[in-house]
Each structure stands twice: as C-alpha cells, then as structure tokens.
Amino acid sequence: MLNHAHITDSSFDKAAEGLLINAQKLIASGYFQEAKIALEHFLQPGPWALKKHGQVVQQMEGLMPLACFLCDTASPKVGSVGAMTAVVLKAWAADEAASYIDMLKMPVRNQLGVAGVGWSKKMLADLVAIQDDEARWRAFSKFCIDAEFVLKARLSSTEKSLTPANITKPEHASTWLQSLLQGNAPAEFDALDGLGIGEILSMVSPILVDDAAALVSNKQLCETILKVHTKNGALLDYQSQQLLTMLLNLCLAEQDIETAIQVATTLATSNSGLATLMSSATCANVVKLLERKVCAAVLDIDDNAVAKYLSALSTRAPQPIVKKMAVQALFIDTFSEFVKHLKGSTLAEQKFVTLPVCDTNEQAYAIACKPAEAKALWDAAVALVPQTHRWPVLTTVWSSNGTTVEVLLDEDLFSRFGFEEEAAKDDVSPSAFIAAAKKIKLDAALIKAEKARFEEDDAEDFADVIEYELDALPHIEGVNRPSAKDVAAARIGGKPIKNSYQLERWLLDWELANKVSVVPEEVLPGFFEPDQTFLVFLPTPNSWEAFAYLSFYGRYHISSECCIALAKRWHEQYGAQLYAHFGTMVEFYTSSAPTTIDAAWQLAKEHDLMASCTLALPGISVRHYAQGLMHTNAWFMHERP
C-alpha cells in the first residue's frame, strides 16, 4: 500500500525516501501520471523542495525522467540531468533499455564450468525438496550461478541488443577456453593477464551452456526461485532479483504473460525489488505490462488510495527555518608564506605542488615521500602546525601513473562526489561540513547509527550469532560456559539481550570475571602499507577537520559531520591525531589510551560504527578489540564497499 507515515516526518531525507518509494509503487501499479505528480512536489517551492545535493537528488535524476517518459511528456531539469523534450526522452529511454539488457547479458564472473549440466524438472524438484535449510540454501546458491549463465545466454540469443549473441556449446569452445574452464590456464595466459587481457577475455568469451538446460523452461526456473525463497523465509537477495529481472524480460519476449506477471508482482513487494523493477521500466514490453496495472492488487493500490495519497502530500508542514550556520573563514595563504615556516626543517628541501581545494579559494600543498620516511616527515610537519596552521595527512593514489608528486595534479583528491551522496544539502563545501559538525548532537547520532545497524536483524540470524559466539568462548577448567538459555535470561539495564552489541558486552563481562585475557597484537589490525605515499598539508590546523576535505567511506554509515565530531572527541579524550587518510582507511596516533574497560568499550563501538570493516574483515570481536585499545596508541580503521 501507499505509506503515509513519511509525510509528517521532520527529517526531509526520510520524508523524501518515503515519497520516492511510493512513486515507484505508483509506476509499478501503472499509475504513471500520478507518480509524475508526486515527484513534481520536489521541484516546487515549499516543504518538499529539493536540495542541490544528496541521495534524493541522485534518485530523482533517474526516476523523474522515467515517469515523464511513461507519461509521454517532457522531463524537467533535475540535478545534473538536463531537461528533455518528449522526443529526446524516447531516445533516452530506448538507449537506457538497450544498455540495461546488455548489462543483464554481460557475464560478471568467470565461468568455471559448463552451465546447466544435469538440469531437469526432477533436479529442480529435488532442490526445493531438500529438508535441511542450510543445505538447501547452499545448493540453491550454487544453482543460481548456473542459472545466471543460462539466462544470460538465453537473453543473448533472443534480445536485440548492442552486443552480438554470446553463447556456444562446450565442444565448440577454443582449446585455451576449454583448458581455462577446467582450471588449467595456458602458460601464455599469465603473461597476457599482466595487460589486463585476461579480464577482457573473460567478459567477451562465449557462455558455455549444456543441452540439458533446454529441458528447463523459464517458467520452471521462476517457480523454483520463488519456492526456495518461500521455504527459507528469506527476502529476495540481489542475485535472485537479477535472475528474476532476466526472467521478466525473457518471458515477455516469449509472450508468457502469466509468468511475467508473477515475476513483476514478486519484485514489487519489496523496496529493493521495486528499484530493480524500475531498471527495466524503459523496456517496451515491461512498459506494456505495467500499463495493465498488474501490480496494483498486490500493492493494495487503487484509484481511491492514489487520490488520498496525492492529497495528503500537500499536508506536509513547511520545512523549519534553519538558522544559518556560521561558516568558518577560509584559510588562505600563499606558497611563499607557507615555505617560510619550513626553514631549518627536513621539509624545507622537499618538492611541493599546490592543489586547489574543489570550488573554494583554498589550496593545499603536497610532497611525495617514501613510505619508510613518511612518519618522520609527518612528525616534523605536526611540530610546525602552530606556524603553518596546516594539518599534514598522509595519503596515496590508486593509479599507477608514477610516484612523483606531480601525480597528484591529475588526481581529484578533494572530489565532492562522496559528500554529495549524503543527506540533502545545498552546500557541500568543506567549511559547510565543519560548521555542521559543531552543531551535531553526537551521542544522539551514534544511538541512531547503532539502532540502524541492528534494526533489520533477523531473530533466526541472531540465534546463529549467539551460538557462534558461545562456541568460540574458551574452555576454563571448573567453569561452565554460558548457554543460549543463559543469554535468554540475561538482562542489560533491565532489558533482554536483543542485538550483537548487547551480547558482546555481556560476554565481555563474563570473560573479565573469569580472567580471560587477549593478546593485543592479535586483536588490533595493523597499519596499511601503500606502495606510494604523499604528505598533504590541509588548510586547517585541526586534524579532525580532514574529514571535511577528504571523503571517508565510513560516511556511508554515519555522516561526514559525525566523522568530524567523532575525530574531535577522540582528540579531546585521547589526543588522537589523524596520521593517514586513504579514502577507505584512516590511521591515528594517540597520546593516551582508555584506562577503564567501560571507556574502551565505548571507543570500540564508536570505531565499529564508523568503520565496521575494521573488525568484520579480520574477524575480530568488538569486546576483544576494546581490550586491545587499552594497550595501543595506534588506531587503524577500515570501511569499504
């Protein structure tokens, strides 16, 4: 149904997200004109007025032209996407459709074996009939890889697209490809791979499909995918959604409307599935299907519900008048003024380049340095901050264009792209984020982030987490390890344990009570060692404000202003100074460490909320990491896609 709850939400981003989801539901239900009317609220002055930057803008850039295309009308300018006439929009939609089908056809993984071997109706029935949930899911995941290749090959054979058919039988494959599929790469393959040709060949090599795959129809594949998900009680994951999208287009091409409707209605029942369905909505056959309002019933949408929703949109209260934040004055000096402060230091003889800071009048200065010399040069630069008023940060580049400092001139080091992906904002300059960080209610923001981390936890999955953590506890002579019943009976602050943090804290107390210790070196990730390093002197004396200039991927979980505020808190509590910023990794040196387990626990949670990959990738528990933090003055934090 069309949810109205977001209309009154004080957060513009939450309100906008709800409207965007409803607009997708309207499109899926065949109410194209009404979806366009709903989206147009973002382009009008008032409570729904769109900011210049943010995730909402990026979603609107794709959704508004789609709605206008479906209504056969011109599309207005949205964000960086210019206005388009109805004629231009049709050409845009045709190109989008062709590109999307080509994307569905293109293999995204190397084929390690011929797809579809042993397929039959009985094989599918046996797959669904597996009684053990875990075994069935493992078998299904393996089957999906085969299905992906089979469906891509079928699309390649039936769809008119930008690329030629990409299918062949195993016996027709070239000798080197057969060897490769058997795990025996030719000797010359490694030599080619140095040029990246191996990856190129894997993308253009024919898909190998066994004749047995023809015994299974698209309809049977669709039914199998849906039955397995229903039996497991799991939401459609990304891979299954992609398979269903391929099936949708295949079934429509073959005029199997019944199965196509089943796929469309299944995708329409989840937000991620809706987004996937929108990706196909420029395809002519899909448009015809949606016009029939085939998803309206499953979404509980009718003329009356649509009219009520559009009317309710006008009831949103005006956006509160936000007091303009005092933006700090830009720090601007000349290079000659800067180098005067370096006289007598090891930095004086270095070769610098001047780097403009995005669209501001600010600039940064940078030098190239050998990784082995980086720490000493950073120490010297930190000592000069009172004179230079510039915080030094070590960074690197991921291209292979050379190691001299001139490489940075071709790098968009201060790109605002990452900042533009955050919450709705008109100003994404460094000074705007610095000003916002001074006003943020940090503890409230962290509580919100923690809640978001666990709000989608499944009770069954959490039971598995409990079982895993209890099994990992050490055996102590004369001491009974806690059981799942003990966890169920435990209380933290008078409330039962409901998420991983609460479980970790309870286990931490048990381990401390039983004198279980950890080896700090085993629970503290080491620093990253890049091949090339550069020392950048930012136009701020405060290390925490580096997060306003250089985008850290941890902003995906918490905002950049929250990163700034957290780094400032760590500086005040532990003398933390940002040493290195590699985009997905940051490193700090501190002058002190937490002295109590409670302080260490809070710090460990803050690190995990800002950069969960820090612990998740090496498999370190938060409770053990907290204990390790009491014995180090070097922090490594990692967050990646």
Side-chain angles (χ1 to χ4, degrees):
M1 63 172 57
L2 296 171
N3 193 336
H4 290 226
H6 63 282
I7 294 175
T8 57
D9 199 302
S10 59
S11 166
F12 176 80
D13 284 291
K14 286 187 176 180
E17 181 183 4
L19 194 158
L20 288 167
I21 290 172
N22 277 351
Q24 292 177 63
K25 289 181 178 180
L26 288 169
I27 290 174
S29 301
Y31 287 91
F32 303 153
Q33 186 64 40
E34 290 77 6
K36 176 175 172 288
I37 292 171
L39 292 172
E40 285 174 340
H41 282 73
F42 286 128
L43 306 181
Q44 300 164 2
W48 293 102
L50 200 60
K51 303 291 186 182
K52 294 179 181 178
H53 307 284
Q55 294 180 4
V56 180
V57 176
Q58 295 177 347
Q59 293 178 66
M60 271 286 285
E61 287 176 345
L63 201 54
M64 190 69 194
L66 172 62
C68 291
F69 159 69
L70 295 172
C71 294
D72 194 22
T73 185
S75 175
K77 180 181 184 302
V78 179
S80 60
V81 176
M84 289 182 274
T85 65
V87 174
V88 172
L89 205 52
K90 286 181 180 179
W92 166 85
D95 185 60
E96 288 288 306
S99 297
Y100 187 67
I101 294 298
D102 274 346
M103 185 275 290
L104 290 179
K105 285 175 46 184
M106 182 179 294
V108 294
R109 67 177 94 221
N110 292 333
Q111 189 173 9
L112 301 180
V114 179
V117 175
W119 275 23
S120 67
K121 294 179 183 179
K122 183 179 182 302
M123 183 274 292
L124 296 183
D126 290 344
L127 173 62
V128 176
I130 297 174
Q131 293 301 310
D132 181 75
D133 288 347
E134 187 174 342
R136 183 175 59 253
W137 197 252
R138 283 200 304 268
F140 177 69
S141 298
K142 183 178 180 181
F143 162 77
C144 283
I145 295 175
D146 253 14
E148 178 182 311
F149 284 110
V150 170
L151 292 178
K152 286 180 182 295
R154 290 181 182 180
L155 270 175
S156 184
S157 297
T158 61
E159 289 284 346
K160 292 180 180 179
S161 55
L162 300 179
T163 54
N166 191 23
I167 178 172
T168 190
K169 291 186 177 181
E171 60 269 23
H172 296 157
S174 61
T175 303
W176 74 265
L177 182 56
Q178 291 186 52
S179 298
L180 185 62
L181 290 172
Q182 294 168 6
N184 303 314
E188 66 269 22
F189 192 79
D190 289 335
L192 290 175
D193 201 49
L195 300 174
I197 294 177
E199 284 189 13
I200 296 173
L201 290 175
S202 73
M203 300 301 287
V204 301
S205 300
I207 295 174
L208 305 183
V209 177
D210 192 83
D211 288 340
L215 300 175
V216 175
S217 68
N218 293 322
K219 181 180 181 67
Q220 291 163 345
L221 283 173
C222 176
E223 290 174 347
T224 300
I225 293 170
L226 298 183
K227 283 178 181 178
V228 170
H229 276 279
T230 301
K231 203 163 185 177
N232 279 278
L235 296 174
L236 289 172
D237 57 12
Y238 175 79
Q239 185 178 30
S240 294
Q241 288 176 5
Q242 291 301 301
L243 294 179
L244 288 177
T245 306
M246 287 188 270
L247 284 166
L248 174 64
N249 286 276
L250 283 167
C251 290
L252 288 172
E254 297 170 0
Q255 296 298 305
D256 182 1
I257 305 303
E258 180 184 353
T259 304
I261 291 174
Q262 188 179 18
V263 172
T265 52
T266 299
L267 289 172
T269 53
S270 71
N271 292 344
S272 59
L274 266 174
T276 302
L277 186 57
M278 293 303 102
S279 298
S280 282
T282 52
C283 299
N285 287 337
V286 177
V287 174
K288 292 177 182 177
L289 184 72
L290 298 182
E291 284 176 338
R292 297 173 54 181
K293 300 189 176 181
V294 297
C295 297
V298 73
L299 290 173
D300 193 20
I301 293 176
D302 56 23
D303 293 353
N304 185 48
V306 172
K308 284 184 177 179
Y309 177 68
L310 293 181
S311 176
L313 287 175
S314 63
T315 66
R316 177 168 171 77
Q319 294 186 40
I321 299 175
V322 180
K323 185 178 179 182
K324 193 170 183 180
M325 294 177 290
V327 177
Q328 76 170 33
L330 299 180
F331 175 67
I332 300 173
D333 60 4
T334 63
F335 179 68
S336 60
E337 291 171 333
F338 167 70
V339 295
K340 286 179 182 177
H341 303 300
L342 308 181
K343 287 183 178 179
S345 74
T346 56
L347 298 163
E349 298 177 0
Q350 299 291 327
K351 181 180 180 181
F352 284 86
V353 295
T354 299
L355 305 172
V357 178
C358 43
D359 296 325
T360 72
N361 291 325
E362 293 180 296
Q363 56 192 23
Y365 308 121
I367 61 172
C369 54
K370 295 179 180 179
E373 301 171 350
K375 179 60 166 58
L377 289 171
W378 180 81
D379 285 334
V382 169
L384 292 174
V385 169
Q387 290 78 44
T388 63
H389 300 288
R390 289 179 171 274
W391 189 261
V393 175
L394 195 71
T395 192
T396 190
V397 297
W398 303 105
S399 62
S400 56
N401 296 329
T403 58
T404 63
V405 70
E406 286 81 8
V407 170
L408 291 180
L409 296 174
D410 296 323
E411 299 289 329
D412 197 359
L413 194 64
F414 300 107
S415 169
R416 308 314 288 171
F417 179 77
F419 297 98
E420 291 173 348
E421 289 185 317
E422 298 189 44
K425 287 181 178 66
D426 284 325
D427 187 354
V428 291
S429 66
S431 56
F433 279 95
I434 292 171
K438 293 177 180 177
K439 296 189 66 175
I440 195 172
K441 296 178 180 178
L442 183 55
D443 290 325
L446 293 176
I447 291 172
K448 180 180 177 182
E450 184 174 340
K451 182 180 178 181
R453 171 75 64 87
F454 301 114
E455 66 182 358
E456 295 183 1
D457 270 8
D458 182 86
E460 186 176 340
D461 290 340
F462 186 49
D464 291 340
V465 171
I466 293 173
E467 182 181 359
Y468 174 82
E469 291 293 347
L470 293 178
D471 287 344
L473 290 175
H475 290 275
I476 304 173
E477 187 175 350
V479 177
N480 292 325
R481 294 194 303 177
S483 66
K485 289 184 178 179
D486 295 325
V487 175
R491 294 294 182 270
I492 294 181
K495 296 182 179 180
I497 292 173
K498 293 292 185 182
N499 64 50
S500 297
Y501 277 171
Q502 294 168 352
L503 174 65
E504 286 262 1
R505 180 64 215 220
W506 187 75
L507 293 174
L508 172 61
D509 291 339
W510 182 86
E511 289 182 338
L512 291 175
N514 288 281
K515 297 181 171 51
V516 176
S517 59
V518 300
V519 178
E521 291 77 15
E522 295 179 356
V523 296
L524 293 170
F527 274 16
F528 173 64
E529 297 180 2
D531 294 329
Q532 52 188 341
T533 51
F534 304 90
L535 196 60
V536 180
F537 293 75
L538 299 172
T540 174
N542 304 316
S543 73
W544 56 89
E545 291 177 357
F547 289 99
Y549 289 89
L550 303 170
S551 178
F552 176 53
Y553 196 78
R555 58 172 170 70
Y556 181 80
H557 299 295
I558 60 175
S559 64
S560 288
E561 48 260 56
C562 194
C563 290
I564 297 168
L566 262 179
K568 185 174 187 290
R569 170 184 286 185
W570 298 336
H571 175 75
E572 293 168 346
Q573 292 177 335
Y574 305 109
Q577 297 179 328
L578 183 65
Y579 166 62
H581 190 311
F582 301 123
T584 57
M585 296 169 279
V586 289
E587 298 168 352
F588 292 84
Y589 282 108
T590 72
S591 58
S592 63
T595 56
T596 67
I597 193 61
D598 286 338
W601 170 255
Q602 178 60 31
L603 180 61
K605 281 207 309 179
E606 290 172 356
H607 283 198
D608 189 52
L609 287 170
M610 182 170 165
S612 59
C613 291
T614 306
L615 305 182
L617 293 182
I620 300 170
S621 68
V622 179
R623 66 183 187 275
H624 293 159
Y625 181 64
Q627 295 176 70
L629 286 174
M630 300 178 72
H631 303 280
T632 185
N633 72 331
W635 301 344
F636 170 84
M637 298 171 63
H638 186 191
E639 187 60 25
R640 52 158 293 174

